[in-house]
Amino acid sequence: KQADVSVVALSGEAGGDLANINRWRGQLNLDPIAEAEASSQSQTITPAGRRMLLVDIVSRELLIDSRYKKRLIAAILTRGNRTWFFKMTGEGETVERAKPAFLRFLGSLRFQESPHEAADPS
């Protein structure tokens, strides 16, 4: 059983938090949620003092090899004019066990500042 970790940076808001949460829910065959439900599906974390939105969701169905539920843990960081996505997906128990390491990874991030990001306190 494996977990996949990806890091993607997009310019601007990249669709917004709710749109991204619902896209990820769709990847797990879950129905979309309304804005009012977003706070129950996410939490704010501050690894290394950086404010991030953390999402941790699990499929209802056995999506991996028809034997295992799929879990997705993702963090969204807005920094300067970019939105960064850090995502881990895989078999539910594997991703759950790897969550502490994923959170440590988020706390270890280092960014090379460009001139327009130097004033960004995050």
Side-chain angles (χ1 to χ4, degrees):
K1 299 175 195 164
Q2 297 180 347
D4 178 66
V5 175
S6 62
V7 177
V8 175
L10 300 174
S11 38
E13 291 184 14
D17 294 340
L18 181 63
N20 286 298
I21 290 170
N22 280 328
R23 182 171 43 81
W24 295 328
R25 289 179 61 79
Q27 292 171 5
L28 300 182
N29 289 348
L30 298 171
D31 293 331
I33 59 171
E35 183 73 39
E37 298 170 278
S39 64
S40 69
Q41 298 288 305
S42 62
Q43 65 181 22
T44 300
I45 60 172
T46 55
R50 293 185 187 99
R51 185 179 179 281
M52 298 183 186
L53 186 70
L54 184 72
V55 178
D56 184 350
I57 50 179
V58 182
S59 68
R60 287 188 198 103
E61 302 166 7
L62 303 178
L63 298 179
I64 298 178
D65 299 331
S66 298
R67 296 176 54 201
Y68 307 103
K69 291 184 178 185
K70 186 173 184 179
R71 185 179 211 107
L72 179 148
I73 299 175
I76 303 172
L77 169 67
T78 302
R79 182 172 170 76
N81 66 348
R82 291 182 177 241
T83 301
W84 290 80
F85 299 93
F86 306 91
K87 185 172 81 167
M88 179 172 54
T89 57
E91 184 273 326
E93 290 179 17
T94 301
V95 171
E96 178 63 24
R97 282 192 306 273
K99 186 176 181 177
F102 182 74
L103 295 174
R104 283 192 303 276
F105 163 70
L106 295 176
S108 74
L109 296 171
R110 302 291 176 260
F111 293 88
Q112 181 177 0
E113 288 188 13
S114 64
H116 66 276
E117 290 177 324
D120 183 359
S122 62

